[in-house]
Amino acid sequence: MRDDLPDILLEARALLENTTPLASDCGRLCDGRCCSSMEGETTGMLLFPGEDMYYEDMPDYRVVPSPAGDLLICSGHCRREDRPLSCRLFPLLPVLRGDAVKVAVDLRARPVCPLAQQGPCAMTEAFVEAVRGVGQLLCQDPAQRAFLQRLTDQQDDLRALRRRFGGDDRV
């Protein structure tokens, strides 16, 4: 494990190191759609504050700025221990509700992930609780908490849009 990440991110990533949404390989349900881009499209995962340092000078990874924050672009294949925190959390997201950390389906995952369409009840309880634990841990750091608040606000905006235009906002 590389030691150039802030301690809080090392700890958060470790909480999800051996915990996944299903007891089996969830990529078999969708042929790994979460790790692939559509033809002609380049997609990536948002990096948490300070996580970009981990990927500096690593082949097969590229960090690019975006309005939402730094995105990690990869080939779609990686070593499990190199997965960014967003991949480890996928398709869930810790969201802030007052002083509490709740777990919600990341609405950005719904078009890609069959598990996201079903909600947290389709995933192992250990995974859901690990995501909650990551959120609680990250809230101890002001920069990470602010990032989680931005993600929560984005979720709320997406939910409002779905309601306004008649989309399904269950999660």
Side-chain angles (χ1 to χ4, degrees):
M1 179 178 294
R2 294 173 54 141
D3 58 0
D4 49 358
L5 278 173
D7 289 344
I8 197 161
L9 288 178
L10 287 171
E11 192 173 338
R13 289 164 63 118
L15 286 174
L16 292 161
E17 183 67 31
N18 297 310
T19 307
T20 58
L22 297 178
S24 61
D25 180 0
C26 63
R28 296 178 80 181
L29 291 175
C30 62
D31 197 26
R33 285 176 50 201
C34 59
C35 291
S36 60
S37 296
M38 295 181 73
E39 190 173 326
E41 180 179 81
T42 300
T43 58
M45 295 301 277
L46 273 176
L47 294 175
F48 279 72
E51 206 173 14
D52 59 323
M53 296 182 299
Y54 184 88
Y55 299 97
E56 286 181 359
D57 303 320
M58 283 184 75
D60 301 321
Y61 295 98
R62 188 168 44 109
V63 177
V64 297
S66 82
D70 287 336
L71 284 177
L72 180 68
I73 310 296
C74 71
S75 66
H77 302 282
C78 68
R79 296 180 331 157
R80 284 193 65 75
E81 60 269 17
D82 290 335
R83 291 173 300 146
L85 189 52
S86 289
C87 288
R88 295 167 193 241
L89 295 166
F90 191 86
L92 299 180
L93 188 66
V95 294
L96 307 180
R97 299 292 179 224
D99 290 335
V101 174
K102 304 288 184 179
V103 175
V105 168
D106 186 334
L107 292 175
R108 299 165 300 178
R110 301 240 4 242
V112 174
C113 179
L115 293 175
Q117 296 166 14
Q118 295 177 49
C121 63
M123 297 168 224
T124 66
E125 186 175 327
F127 179 69
V128 174
E129 289 308 311
V131 170
R132 184 183 331 276
V134 165
Q136 291 167 339
L137 173 67
L138 293 177
C139 280
Q140 297 172 24
D141 178 84
Q144 301 299 335
R145 182 179 183 85
F147 186 74
L148 283 179
Q149 186 61 60
R150 277 198 351 251
L151 293 177
T152 299
D153 293 345
Q154 290 171 357
Q155 286 286 108
D156 293 345
D157 290 346
L158 287 170
R159 182 170 281 113
L161 282 171
R162 292 176 72 85
R163 284 185 183 144
R164 181 173 179 194
F165 294 104
D168 181 7
D169 67 345
R170 293 174 295 123
V171 285

